Amino acid sequence: MAHENDMDLKATELRLGLPGTSDRDILKSNNKRSSNEMDNSCSTAPKAQVVGWPPVRSYRKNVLQQQQKSSDSDMLGMYVKVSMDGAPYLRKIDIKVFKNYPDLLMAVENLFKCSMGVYSERDGYINGSEYAPTYEDKDGDWMLVGDVPWDMFVISCKRLRIMKGSEAKGLGRP
Amino acid sequence: MAYSFPEEVLEYVFAFLSSHKDRNAVSLVCKSWYEIERWCRRRIFIGNCYAVSPQIVIRRFPEVRAVKIKGKPHFADFNLVPEGWGAYVYPWISAMVRSYPWLEEIKLKRMVVTDESLELLSKSFKNFKVLVLSSCEGFTTDGLASIAANCRNLRELDLRECEVEDLSGHWLSHFPDNFTSLVSLNMSCLGSEVSFSALERLVSRCPNLRTLRLNRAVPVEKLPNLLRRAPQLVEFGTGAYSAENQTDIFSNLVEAFSGCKHLKSLSGFWDVDPAYLPAMYYACTGITSLNLSNATVQSPDLVELIIQCPNLKCLWVLDYIEDAGLKALPSYCKDLQELRVFPSDPYGAEPNVSLTEQGLVTVSAGCPKLQSVLYFCRQMSNAALITIARNRPNLIRFRLCIIDPQAPDYLTLEPLDTGFGAIVEHCKELLRLSMSGLLTDRVFEYIGTHAKKLEMLSIAFAGDSDLGLHNVLSGCESLRKLEIMDCPFGDKALLANAAKLETMRSLWMSSCSVRRCPSSNVEVMDERGHPDSRPETCPVEKLYIYRTVAGPRVDKPNFVWTMDEDAVLRLS
């Protein structure tokens, strides 16, 4: 009888988590563990990465990541020319220094003292943008900065051009 | 009872005892020997900084000249110990500053060292000679500057695998112009570039320099300048080992390396260009230790270098060496004693190199002196493990990491119990064992039965029940350190073997099924909240049990609770 009451209470209980999950699942997910943590049958490896496994020191992980990065590009730095419409001379920046689009765009805005506004998938750069950032890719096409994932951009970007807003309005996803 | 020898004679005899175990044994003979021994002990080893307090150590041993202290548990290396856990060296240093003004040597492992500590020690110990920091953190290059500037008699500054906040390379320039006593400098873990001219001058004016391990930022074209100034070097670590198109570099390197007739150990080799490896060949005949674990270079080039070293005793290498490369070792490096093979891509889903259990089998068959193994691979079989065990009963350390947790014998799909069972059965002198792969309670039966000399055991994702842990705790007579992650071990084995825990240095259990803790001096780490606040069925996150005479810690962070007797009674 007591159990039945518990079941009823559970149904109306207020707690954190998705419906159908229990405290234990939440605790497990907080621990960043996979769901078959205690399962000792011949199962395949947990899909999620387990903290502490495999037992490799952090500094060893870095050696490999850096090796892979430098094998992606021919040079140690990824310096690209940056031009801005109306500016008397070009600049060069190392795009490998940045981790994401916001960092890159902030640096470019500082370099040329311009504002490019906010990226939107549909409309390009909006909200107070006099200029829009574009880049020439490996195929020689001029693309709007921000459409592709960052890592893909770093590999394919050959040069940057900060285009005047009016001209850039025509540039967007096809 | 009258003394049979005057104190001075006993002191003289005790001075020949260098091992801590011997010293400890001597101190237990009788009260007068205890007294004489404690006054003449010069070197102290503290395996767990929380096992004893600085005050207790200083009270017993008033004339110490060298200390070695270890802090965090080993699993801290793999990010299992939360930030801020402890192992601060400052209380030790400030106590020793008052009581050991003539301290010469400090060696620390897995401790938190601040710039403040480094500055204090550099200004307080007038005869300070040796600082070795292994896997330590918490300091910046400013702390190193204090050491360089103030330790006038410094001989060794060795930073092994430390996490240093690298503000600049300027610290090296703080060694005064009249400083000439350096014997060993290991800065390999630092990132920023030091002033090369300062480094050059330092090397030139220190005629006793025998160990120089550079950091990655020292370019390969500068190496000849240093090697020419220090042909007496015995241990050398390069920086980045590649350069853009400069044809002189190779011939300069050849000339410089051939001038170093005493080299025994090589390391470094970040960003290796294989074309530069042959420059070292002339130096290789004497090489006994080769650390290529940063060398992301393929097998043929690796092997070409390794086979130049007929006297090789210790090899650390990435799995780029592959089975084919390991096959060469028995023919060219017959004296090999230690082999460590690290994974180049530990998180990749698929193997990226052709390195299997076969590589290890061939080395075990052909290198009769092999005693220490650390091997990362992606497949293993019981047959291979049994072969290795039969080939190499002289193994002392065997650490096998099969990357896929709970991977079975890839041939039979059975657990690897019999394989590891063979290891402990045949290798009677085994001191250290790390296991992986699919393992049931059976393997722990074998371990409890055979591994009588085993001092350290590391287990992950293994076993079925408390019986496994019970077999280890009740059978392994020499066990000092046990570390367990993600195993279904709970309270029963701990409660049944509570006395055993007092004979061990420490026990670590994380992500297991422990709910109640067997005794006091138990630390529970739980970032979710106090263990009592969790539901009774919920296991603790991390458990660290160690013996101590110092009582509960005073520097606990807010996620660590020490369980007292009352708590045990309340929960049961």
Side-chain angles (χ1 to χ4, degrees), chain A residues 94-114:
Chain A
D94 178 2
I95 55 179
K96 280 205 139 181
V97 161
F98 306 104
K99 297 194 174 72
N100 51 42
Y101 284 121
D103 287 351
L104 170 66
L105 294 174
M106 190 156 65
V108 172
E109 281 178 334
N110 282 336
L111 207 56
F112 288 106
K113 306 284 181 282
C114 64

Side-chain angles (χ1 to χ4, degrees), chain B residues 244-252 276:
Chain B
E244 294 168 9
N245 297 335
Q246 290 180 41
T247 44
D248 289 344
I249 295 181
F250 187 81
S251 46
N252 288 345
Y276 288 116

Side-chain angles (χ1 to χ4, degrees), chain B residues 61-82:
Chain B
F61 301 113
E63 298 281 342
V64 164
R65 297 274 185 277
V67 294
K68 180 170 179 182
I69 313 176
K70 293 189 177 181
K72 299 184 200 175
H74 172 239
F75 273 177
D77 285 355
F78 315 124
N79 303 323
L80 282 166
V81 176

Side-chain angles (χ1 to χ4, degrees), chain B residues 533-552:
Chain B
S533 69
R534 310 234 55 78
E536 281 214 7
T537 49
C538 179
V540 304
E541 207 171 72
K542 290 166 186 165
L543 191 72
Y544 185 48
I545 304 179
Y546 52 89
R547 61 179 177 183
T548 178
V549 296

Side-chain angles (χ1 to χ4, degrees), chain B residues 496-558:
Chain B
N497 294 282
K500 171 72 176 175
L501 297 176
E502 301 200 4
T503 69
M504 291 168 55
R505 182 188 296 171
S506 64
L507 165 64
W508 168 281
M509 291 176 73
S510 55
S511 304
C512 297
S513 309
V514 177
R515 288 187 294 256
R516 296 180 303 175
C517 311
S519 61
S520 50
N521 298 324
V522 174
E523 283 194 18
V524 172
M525 275 170 250
D526 210 323
E527 291 171 292
R528 304 164 300 182
H530 192 283
D532 284 352
S533 69
R534 310 234 55 78
E536 281 214 7
T537 49
C538 179
V540 304
E541 207 171 72
K542 290 166 186 165
L543 191 72
Y544 185 48
I545 304 179
Y546 52 89
R547 61 179 177 183
T548 178
V549 296
R553 280 173 59 179
V554 296
D555 62 354
K556 294 193 308 268
N558 60 5

Side-chain angles (χ1 to χ4, degrees), chain B residues 47-192:
Chain B
N48 171 7
C49 64
Y50 290 119
V52 69
S53 70
Q55 290 69 32
I56 294 175
V57 174
I58 291 169
R59 198 164 57 225
R60 179 171 171 191
F61 301 113
E63 298 281 342
V64 164
R65 297 274 185 277
V67 294
K68 180 170 179 182
I69 313 176
K70 293 189 177 181
K72 299 184 200 175
H74 172 239
F75 273 177
D77 285 355
F78 315 124
N79 303 323
L80 282 166
V81 176
E83 196 70 34
W85 175 79
Y88 306 107
V89 81
Y90 189 83
W92 288 90
I93 298 201
S94 79
M96 293 191 297
V97 156
R98 283 190 295 272
S99 306
Y100 297 152
W102 296 111
L103 192 71
E104 294 176 5
E105 240 180 72
I106 294 179
K107 296 184 180 177
L108 305 174
K109 189 165 187 178
R110 290 193 203 96
M111 293 199 77
V112 177
V113 181
T114 55
D115 287 348
E116 208 187 1
S117 306
L118 292 174
E119 197 184 335
L120 180 61
L121 94 80
S122 74
K123 290 185 172 156
S124 313
F125 300 122
K126 296 299 170 206
N127 205 24
F128 195 71
K129 295 196 171 103
V130 172
L131 183 65
V132 178
L133 302 179
S134 184
S135 302
C136 293
E137 51 162 3
F139 59 105
T140 78
T141 40
D142 284 353
L144 297 177
S146 310
I147 299 288
N150 301 319
C151 298
R152 294 307 164 100
N153 297 308
L154 193 71
R155 295 213 187 124
E156 283 182 47
L157 177 60
D158 187 342
L159 308 171
R160 287 177 204 170
E161 302 168 11
C162 290
E163 272 183 44
V164 185
E165 195 187 328
D166 211 318
L167 301 173
S168 85
H170 197 58
W171 64 274
L172 189 95
S173 309
H174 284 255
F175 283 112
D177 290 336
N178 60 358
F179 170 74
T180 58
S181 50
L182 200 63
V183 171
S184 169
L185 176 63
N186 178 358
M187 48 186 238
S188 53
C189 62
L190 298 178
S192 48

Side-chain angles (χ1 to χ4, degrees), chain B residues 287-521:
Chain B
I287 295 290
T288 55
S289 168
L290 195 52
N291 182 352
L292 295 166
S293 60
N294 296 319
T296 49
V297 144
Q298 303 302 318
S299 179
D301 301 298
L302 275 178
V303 176
E304 283 295 325
L305 174 61
I306 293 170
I307 64 180
Q308 305 292 324
C309 307
N311 292 309
L312 197 64
K313 295 204 172 91
C314 176
L315 175 64
W316 291 20
V317 72
L318 285 170
D319 57 10
Y320 290 126
I321 191 169
E322 298 187 320
D323 289 342
L326 290 174
K327 270 204 179 66
L329 292 177
S331 308
Y332 293 94
C333 305
K334 256 212 132 29
D335 287 346
L336 195 69
Q337 291 177 12
E338 177 176 328
L339 174 67
R340 296 196 191 192
V341 178
F342 296 98
S344 54
D345 187 17
Y347 302 104
E350 298 299 320
N352 61 323
V353 291
S354 175
L355 179 102
T356 69
E357 81 285 3
Q358 283 312 310
L360 186 56
V361 172
T362 41
V363 177
S364 75
C367 295
K369 297 189 186 171
L370 188 71
Q371 52 174 232
S372 180
V373 170
L374 169 62
Y375 200 77
F376 281 80
C377 61
R378 287 177 187 269
Q379 67 184 41
M380 188 49 63
S381 66
N382 283 310
L385 284 170
I386 293 169
T387 306
I388 292 166
R390 291 206 177 121
N391 286 339
R392 289 278 65 77
N394 52 323
L395 282 174
I396 291 179
R397 276 170 226 102
F398 189 72
R399 296 159 71 185
L400 180 67
C401 179
I402 306 163
I403 288 181
D404 198 356
Q406 301 182 326
D409 177 326
Y410 78 100
L411 295 169
T412 64
L413 296 185
E414 284 172 1
L416 291 169
D417 299 334
T418 43
F420 280 105
I423 295 280
V424 291
E425 194 186 334
H426 291 272
C427 306
K428 302 203 192 309
E429 303 300 313
L430 197 68
L431 294 175
R432 184 170 179 179
L433 177 65
S434 304
M435 305 194 293
S436 54
L438 183 65
L439 296 164
T440 72
D441 278 349
R442 290 262 319 275
V443 74
F444 298 110
E445 263 181 61
Y446 296 136
I447 292 176
T449 306
H450 295 286
K452 294 305 180 188
K453 299 251 174 95
L454 193 69
E455 295 185 2
M456 182 169 179
L457 180 62
S458 311
I459 317 170
F461 307 104
D464 310 308
S465 73
D466 273 283
L467 195 54
L469 180 56
H470 175 70
N471 278 325
V472 169
L473 290 175
S474 56
C476 296
E477 292 160 7
S478 310
L479 196 65
R480 293 189 301 113
K481 289 180 279 186
L482 180 57
E483 46 185 28
I484 304 175
M485 61 178 272
D486 291 75
C487 297
F489 300 146
D491 313 346
K492 293 205 207 87
L494 289 180
L495 289 166
N497 294 282
K500 171 72 176 175
L501 297 176
E502 301 200 4
T503 69
M504 291 168 55
R505 182 188 296 171
S506 64
L507 165 64
W508 168 281
M509 291 176 73
S510 55
S511 304
C512 297
S513 309
V514 177
R515 288 187 294 256
R516 296 180 303 175
C517 311
S519 61
S520 50
N521 298 324

